[in-house]
Amino acid sequence: MAKILVIGAAGQLGIELVLALQAKHGVEAVDVSDIRVPSNERVMRSRFMHLDATDEGAVHKVLEEGRYHAVYHLAAMLSATGEKKPIAAWDLNMQSLLNVLEAAKEGWVDRVFWPSSIAVFGPESPKKSVAQEALLDPTTVYGISKQAGEYWCRYYHEKYGVDARSIRYPGLVGHRSAPGGGTTDYAVEIYHAAAEGMPYTCFLRADQALPMMYMDDAVRGTLELMEAPSEAIQVRTSYNLGAMSFTPGEVANSIQQHLPNFQVHCEPDHRQIIAESWPESVDDGAARADWGWEPKVLLPEMTTIMLDALGKKTHAAVH
Ligand code: SER
């Protein structure tokens, strides 16, 4: 059985990816690790290993023993938290990636997935339909670490033949896991508030457009990228991946179609500066051409799905 390991399985994307990988390959085929125990019971049906991804010895031991077909290395500190702890963010984001790439160089892993982000772009990058090859201009430590990581992935591929693959995710919105420490987190929080019948105070300006994606699309895209034949992967830094672009005002509007009394009030904080530096939308033509990427869910449908799923959870908690 080809085994898979998810590092960072307790995070927003980790939980979702583990659930999808379990559904596809079976619980037994998936091992999960994190520095904290994932709160999701279904994730914990897979074998859990406590792992500090910055600990080279520990990561190498797990990967040498595990001989995984694929490792999804998701452990990272995100943009907003990273600005509060810049050196810790750099250390975590870089050291952990190098630990995994070194293990892949040793031949202990066939395929590595590592997430990059729209945070590699910045004030001097274009704002709309940003091309795959556009100027990278990260202004956050998180973005700097993602840019460097992209080039490390390509370096290990070119120098050592490591099959590392990556996606520049936009903000991810899902109902099965909570985000933490990101600038795009508002787009999840706003649905939770709405489902609980509460007003929401948004930390970004009402007209701040950012690229966003429904979680199931992101997970499907990630699995498609990882299943593509190696020769199809022409971009060995990281693929732009687009789905939709919206502002807090537009999400509020979309929620009000279902809940007319829902109210949003904006009090921009330090995260507004980060959001302003990022693009509004990206051009994902390379991902479409190389491995057939296509987003499926757009804002109106996402709002219906999110409110329905979170409404059921709220209802179950109350009764
Ligand atoms: N969602 C991330 C963040 O906001 C962007 O990649 O930090």
Side-chain angles (χ1 to χ4, degrees):
M1 174 171 57
K3 293 212 67 175
I4 297 161
L5 172 68
V6 177
I7 301 175
Q12 184 197 13
L13 178 58
I15 289 175
E16 297 266 7
L17 253 180
V18 170
L19 297 177
L21 288 165
Q22 286 176 338
K24 193 160 189 145
H25 302 284
V27 169
E28 303 291 312
V30 185
D31 284 353
V32 300
S33 78
D34 204 294
I35 199 158
R36 57 198 162 116
V37 178
S39 55
N40 188 298
E41 285 167 21
R42 285 162 61 211
V43 167
M44 290 302 283
R45 289 180 306 174
S46 285
R47 182 163 83 107
F48 173 73
M49 286 171 282
H50 184 270
L51 184 64
D52 173 357
T54 63
D55 182 338
E56 183 185 354
V59 171
H60 285 188
K61 185 165 183 288
V62 167
L63 297 189
E64 186 175 7
E65 283 174 11
R67 302 282 165 156
Y68 293 99
H69 168 62
V71 171
Y72 294 78
H73 167 42
L74 311 174
M77 199 184 292
L78 293 197
S79 59
T81 313
E83 291 310 282
K84 298 217 161 92
K85 304 181 200 167
I87 304 302
W90 175 260
D91 287 346
L92 168 59
N93 296 2
M94 285 296 92
Q95 189 55 53
S96 63
L97 173 62
L98 291 171
N99 290 343
V100 173
L101 290 175
E102 275 292 304
K105 176 185 159 191
E106 294 299 325
W108 302 331
V109 179
D110 299 333
R111 230 165 246 197
V112 174
F113 177 80
W114 180 78
S116 184
S117 161
I118 51 164
V120 294
F121 298 115
E124 299 301 321
S125 314
K127 282 283 168 210
K128 293 192 178 166
S129 289
V130 181
Q132 179 66 45
E133 303 301 339
L135 174 75
L136 306 182
D137 185 29
T139 55
T140 58
V141 174
Y142 173 71
I144 296 171
S145 73
K146 290 299 179 188
Q147 178 185 20
E150 288 189 7
Y151 288 111
W152 274 119
C153 287
R154 190 175 71 181
Y155 181 87
Y156 271 77
H157 176 69
E158 287 179 355
K159 273 243 142 137
Y160 309 119
V162 167
D163 191 353
R165 305 173 180 205
S166 177
I167 284 172
R168 290 173 183 154
Y169 291 117
L172 301 181
V173 184
H175 54 81
R176 298 178 199 93
S177 59
T183 301
T184 57
D185 294 10
Y186 92 84
V188 179
E189 293 170 4
I190 196 168
Y191 286 110
H192 280 266
E196 286 160 21
M198 304 291 285
Y200 180 65
T201 304
C202 183
F203 55 76
L204 298 184
R205 268 195 349 244
D207 63 351
Q208 179 62 57
L210 285 170
M212 297 280 180
M213 186 177 290
Y214 179 52
M215 184 60 88
D216 291 18
D217 271 355
V219 167
R220 179 178 49 79
T222 306
L223 299 186
E224 286 168 3
L225 169 68
M226 286 297 273
E227 282 158 13
S230 184
E231 324 76 73
I233 312 299
Q234 299 294 317
V235 175
R236 287 292 178 172
T237 48
S238 186
Y239 280 99
N240 281 3
L241 214 63
M244 53 187 137
S245 173
F246 58 70
T247 66
E250 285 161 353
V251 197
N253 225 299
S254 165
I255 293 173
Q256 283 156 355
Q257 309 295 313
H258 301 254
L259 303 166
N261 295 329
F262 177 60
Q263 283 183 10
V264 174
H265 162 75
C266 291
E267 278 178 26
D269 67 12
H270 59 280
R271 289 168 280 192
Q272 175 58 35
I273 311 285
I274 300 177
E276 271 168 36
S277 76
W278 290 352
E280 291 181 16
S281 60
V282 298
D283 175 348
D284 57 11
R288 288 173 188 260
D290 291 357
W291 45 276
W293 163 245
E294 201 183 340
K296 291 199 173 138
V297 178
L298 300 181
L299 182 58
E301 190 186 350
M302 182 170 87
T303 297
T304 307
I305 299 170
M306 289 294 289
L307 291 179
D308 187 46
L310 295 174
K312 281 185 189 133
K313 270 190 213 164
T314 310
H315 191 76
V318 170
H319 293 279

